[in-house]
Amino acid sequence: DVENVVASFGDLTILDSDAPFETPLNARVVRLLSAACEKALGVKPGLCGMPSWTDAEPLHRKGLETVVFGAGELTSAHTGDEKMEAGELVKLALVLKELTALATD
């Protein structure tokens, strides 16, 4: 349908055709990561969709529960202008340390 609508305006190149997926909010990985954020930083993380392809997609296809989580701003991620404050990396390290502890309990 998209191709038919766009055809009247010009050429269309589809860059990603993988089906979307959703990790349930009650999935263990979501619960653990949320708990790790709360314990390490004292904040409840916001949960939302990821409007782009990531390495989570093939892992999900293999049956693994996945989340996309990291430091920095998504708008500059993987660009020539990618940067972040050192404090953001420290926060990420604290959360990952807590996540590891929670996951091995």
Side-chain angles (χ1 to χ4, degrees):
D1 289 341
V2 171
E3 290 175 341
N4 291 334
V5 171
V6 173
S8 64
F9 295 98
D11 294 331
L12 168 70
T13 302
I14 296 176
L15 301 176
D16 185 356
S17 62
D18 291 318
F21 69 90
E22 184 174 337
T23 300
L25 293 177
N26 65 345
R28 183 170 187 259
V29 66
V30 175
R31 292 190 326 267
L32 287 173
L33 184 56
S34 294
C37 287
E38 289 184 52
K39 194 165 182 184
L41 305 176
V43 298
K44 186 173 180 130
L47 303 175
C48 63
M50 175 67 182
S52 181
W53 186 92
T54 71
D55 291 332
E57 189 274 328
L59 296 172
H60 173 78
R61 247 187 304 123
K62 295 291 185 181
L64 298 170
E65 294 178 340
T66 62
V67 295
V68 177
F69 176 78
E73 294 293 323
L74 184 57
T75 55
S76 66
H78 311 296
T79 69
D81 295 325
E82 183 173 22
K83 59 184 173 270
M84 70 185 72
E85 294 180 18
E88 292 298 308
L89 289 176
V90 171
K91 289 178 186 178
L92 176 61
L94 292 171
V95 171
L96 294 177
K97 179 181 175 188
E98 193 59 49
L99 177 61
T100 302
L102 290 170
T104 57
D105 283 345

